Amino acid sequence: MELLDSSVDLQEVQKLEGHADRVWGLAWNPAPHNCGGASAMLASCSGDKTLRIWQMGPTHHLDCSTILEDTHTRTVRSCAWSPCGKFLATASFDSTTAIWKYVGGDFECVATLEGHENEVKSVTWSSSGTFLATCSRDKTVWIWEVQPGDEYDCVAVLQGHSQDVKMVQWHPLVDVLVSVSYDNSIKVWAEDGDSDDWHCVQTLNEGSSGHTSTVWSVAFNSSGDRMVTSSDDLTLKIWDTSSAISQTDTEGFASWRHICTLSGYHGRTIFSAHWSSEGVIASGAGDDALCLFVEEKGNSVEEPSYRLLLKKEKAHDMDINSVRWNPKDQRILASASDDGTIKIWELREIS
Amino acid sequence: MDPKSNNLNDFLEESVLLDESQYQEGFKDGYKDGLVSGKEEGREVGLNAGFQVGEELGFYQGCVDVWNSAMQIDPDAFTSRVRKNIAQLKTLIDAFPLLEPENENVQEMMDSIRLKFRVVCANLRVRLEYEGQPNSLNKDSEDM
């Protein structure tokens, strides 16, 4: 179903309040039926040091069902669900990453990953469920392997970025990791064979048509052949990552390349970007606005291009830190802001 | 020739020459003293830097020795991954060119050792440090 810009609107359907400080991150449970059968489950993490879990009840509204507190001693900066939906990882400024397990209606902290020297900025679970990755202001990226019995082994500590690493994200299909940093670069990490030997296979920086300021976020499309990054340089960049799927050796990842730059849509740092399973890119920025972009289906001979589908000014009262599409309902978008609220939006076609 | 002007020039020339020769003498004395003092200071700085590197490497070597001893007593004390990492750490430490402070790879090699040590510690769930351990980080302010 093609989305034409004149016939769509982003409607606010719910506002979730409760956090006592800015909301930093959001994560939709990819398999909520494994957690007591809710039709939707959203985790949110905040400067108030807690993580909240919101569940969709019979009223089709999200209600706060759990507050995970008294574990992290500082801001919880990022959260991520395991592919099976039963585990949740929370990354905190207190330099630890906690792993929570859904046990009989509640979440229990079953492990704490320590090792970073200071604030952990992001955590991501590989789609194979085998690996977790974290990154920190200490400039390193850590890769952990999930072991039986809720144990986590540190597999590698990767150095390469020269500054604070803002976010890490696993490729949706293969165990390839991307990290983005205050040093303006995007790095791609892969394992050589099966030997715990992870190294940087590609760096996308200014010379590769990359960003000219801090890169804040990275997201893949569902087929894994495209990646979007957002930056303090006020642009979003789309990258061709198709070689990750077509080639099995590490050389394949060295050929990711820039396709398109979207500029002029946000007047402030773009903190987050996310790709829906339908191919709509959502972005949230320091200008309090939300933008949606789709691929321009035109001349297949030329380089793919993307166009603005719509812009929602003043989507929040303050900076938008995170935008996330619901993987189970591709027209539902959640946004989190410095204003302490989370908003749920529905992309509707207007007749 | 003006005898009066000659006298004037000679008079000035003597002071200039005196000034010059005093400068030369002073310079020679200063250079000699500076050389001695510089060598002393250099030796002290070298001693401190050498001590720091030796102390850090010695610390890692000490940890490796203890872990190896533990493994001799109980071969199953650690997982195969930890055993492999400890062995890799030992190789890195052994390869460090202690007697080549000018070797341009020393910083990189020390970084690799530090990283490998952190992996082992993370897997053993311990935080091992010693007083005065150099930190690769700066005390910069928290950002978001």
Side-chain angles (χ1 to χ4, degrees), chain A residues 12 27 61 80 103 138 159 183 199 205 224 231 258 305 308 311:
Chain A
E12 181 184 328
H61 259 51
V103 180
D138 68 9
Q159 225 169 38
D183 69 9
H199 54 273
N205 50 23
S231 163
H258 171 265
S305 70
L308 182 75
K311 179 171 181 175

Side-chain angles (χ1 to χ4, degrees), chain A residues 74 117 137 154 166 196, chain B residues 81 123 137 140 142-143:
Chain A
R74 286 184 65 191
E117 289 183 22
R137 180 167 69 83
C154 172
K166 298 295 190 188
D196 286 357
Chain B
R81 172 171 271 142
N123 281 323
L137 306 166
D140 34 26
E142 175 193 322
D143 69 335

Side-chain angles (χ1 to χ4, degrees), chain A residues 24 74 77 93 115 117 119 121 137-138 142 145 147 151-155 157 164 166 195-196, chain B residues 79 81 84-85 88 111 115 118-119 122-123 125 127 135-144:
Chain A
W24 276 117
R74 286 184 65 191
R77 180 68 174 81
F93 278 2
E117 289 183 22
E119 296 88 6
K121 299 299 176 87
R137 180 167 69 83
D138 68 9
W142 289 52
E145 190 178 59
Q147 300 292 334
E151 286 289 313
Y152 296 81
D153 270 1
C154 172
V155 163
V157 174
D164 184 4
K166 298 295 190 188
S195 54
D196 286 357
Chain B
T79 64
R81 172 171 271 142
K84 187 178 73 169
N85 282 325
Q88 286 172 344
D111 282 342
L115 278 182
R118 283 174 77 183
V119 176
N123 281 323
R125 314 277 187 268
R127 196 171 198 106
N135 206 324
S136 52
L137 306 166
N138 299 318
K139 294 269 177 262
D140 34 26
S141 55
E142 175 193 322
D143 69 335
M144 303 305 169

